[in-house]
Amino acid sequence: MQEAGEYTMKMHPMWQGPLVAPGGNRQSPIDIRVRKSVFDPHLKPLTPDYDPGTCSQIWNNGYSFLVEYDDTTDKSILKGGPLEDNFRLCQFHFHWGESNAWGSEHTVDRRLFPAELHMVHWNSNKYSRFEEAVMEENGLAVIGVFLKIGKRHEGLQKLVDVLPAVRHKDSVVEFTRFDPACLLPANIDDYWTYAGSLTTPPLTEAVTWIIMKQHIEVSHDQLAVFRSLLFTSAEEEVQKSMVNNFRVQQPLRGRTVRSSFT
Ligand SMILES: NS(=O)(=O)c1nnc(N(Cc2cn(-c3ccccc3)nn2)Cc2cn([C@@H]3O[C@H](CO)[C@@H](O)[C@H](O)[C@H]3O)nn2)s1
Ligand SMILES: [Zn+2]
């Protein structure tokens, strides 16, 4: 398994932008130094409660593919863990590499994973919609789950089967009744948490990150379908494979990473 920084590769222009958002001191992603994380006994178990009926569509936004959820009510929410409020699920997406040697945004003691799942939620106790919450320091909560290559993920296959329909940027298809909980690892009690930011523009420092210690497994062939997506729209002359859609690790700037486990 390669370590971050051991290789160079072509990056999508979007990620060749500012390494750190101007003035940012809580940027994401980061390298999680396990021995430097601080066990916090007050951290509660995470209690996601998702209604598959709120799943609405899947689309290619030119950075990743997003599975979107109806976030007009508190039907699919995340609470507990480090969170004081209810957070409403709005979408999930992934980041991955052109090879299985890299692709995740966060690293654990410099260890890279082939891909990383992000489940994005916004604080519905304090704000009335995502656009409002995304500008506030306690506005968002994102669950990160590492993916490793192994056995086929049966729950993921329903999603993989529909990806060819959103191959090009800005393509969208109806996608319903997908339970995002099937993508969580068996153990969601062990996690790291820290104050960070979105990893794609506008990079706002609004995110409580909750990174699962336990990974999930997907098959090589399932991840290969992710790589068949395109950054480019159907009209563009040159088609660019959607790979390496991750941001590089950002300075910790004195932040503490807490763990829910010893
Ligand atoms: N790598 S990660 O850190 O996790 C993420 N990186 N980006 C993410 N999202 C995209 C996004 C959009 N905006 C934004 C900011 C200000 C105004 C408008 C949009 N910020 N980040 C998260 C995301 C949000 N959405 C949808 O944004 C709509 C407004 O544009 C909103 O009406 C929907 O309720 C919501 O679902 N999609 N993605 S997360
Ligand atoms: Zn993400």
Side-chain angles (χ1 to χ4, degrees):
M1 184 64 77
Q2 288 208 327
E3 293 215 335
E6 281 182 358
Y7 50 80
T8 55
M9 76 205 112
K10 57 189 182 308
M11 299 285 275
H12 183 270
M14 201 245 340
W15 278 277
Q16 288 161 359
L19 271 179
V20 178
N25 57 15
R26 52 172 282 189
Q27 287 291 294
S28 295
I30 60 167
D31 176 45
I32 296 168
R33 308 295 308 175
V34 175
R35 295 168 62 87
K36 293 210 165 132
S37 63
V38 177
F39 170 60
D40 180 348
H42 302 105
L43 285 171
K44 303 184 189 70
L46 213 50
T47 49
D49 180 8
Y50 299 136
D51 173 358
T54 59
C55 188
S56 60
Q57 63 181 24
I58 183 168
W59 71 290
N60 177 332
N61 72 346
Y63 298 144
S64 180
F65 63 89
L66 309 182
V67 177
E68 295 208 310
Y69 286 75
D70 167 24
D71 59 359
T72 53
T73 71
D74 261 354
K75 279 187 178 172
S76 288
I77 57 160
L78 176 66
K79 53 185 187 192
L83 307 173
E84 297 299 319
D85 294 315
N86 284 0
F87 284 72
R88 221 175 259 180
L89 176 68
C90 63
Q91 56 101 324
F92 71 79
H93 63 275
F94 298 81
H95 302 261
W96 59 91
E98 65 190 294
S99 120
N100 291 336
W102 62 76
S104 62
E105 296 210 303
H106 291 86
T107 49
V108 179
D109 287 341
R110 309 290 289 165
R111 178 183 178 189
L112 290 152
F113 294 83
E116 184 173 333
L117 160 65
H118 289 160
M119 299 171 76
V120 184
H121 311 74
W122 55 271
N123 188 328
S124 58
N125 282 151
K126 291 200 166 55
Y127 309 107
S128 53
R129 53 201 186 87
F130 173 85
E131 292 85 343
E132 205 186 324
V134 74
M135 309 311 280
E136 304 296 335
E137 68 175 19
N138 59 355
L140 305 181
V142 182
I143 294 176
V145 182
F146 295 117
L147 276 61
K148 279 178 74 174
I149 301 300
K151 63 182 186 305
R152 176 178 139 121
H153 192 296
E154 294 310 327
L156 183 71
Q157 194 55 38
K158 179 185 173 188
L159 197 165
V160 168
D161 287 339
V162 78
L163 288 183
V166 290
R167 191 153 183 260
H168 287 101
K169 179 182 176 195
D170 298 331
S171 48
V172 54
V173 291
E174 186 185 59
F175 187 67
T176 57
R177 305 221 50 78
F178 185 84
D179 181 4
C182 83
L183 297 176
L184 292 172
N187 172 10
I188 60 169
D189 290 340
D190 292 355
Y191 57 83
W192 295 281
T193 183
Y194 76 97
S197 74
L198 292 174
T199 66
T200 64
L203 301 173
T204 46
E205 298 184 333
V207 183
T208 297
W209 279 95
I210 301 165
I211 307 291
M212 291 294 142
K213 179 187 176 192
Q214 189 176 54
H215 62 270
I216 60 170
E217 279 190 19
V218 301
S219 70
H220 178 91
D221 291 350
Q222 287 178 314
L223 201 51
V225 179
F226 284 23
R227 300 189 185 107
S228 72
L229 296 177
L230 300 169
F231 281 128
T232 42
S233 58
E235 300 71 43
E236 292 180 64
E237 271 173 42
V238 179
Q239 298 296 326
K240 294 193 188 84
S241 294
M242 184 180 274
V243 292
N244 301 330
N245 57 355
F246 53 82
R247 191 189 193 197
V248 292
Q249 286 84 34
Q250 301 298 307
L252 194 54
R253 293 269 189 272
R255 286 172 283 178
T256 298
V257 177
R258 291 181 290 160
S259 66
S260 67
F261 60 96
T262 52

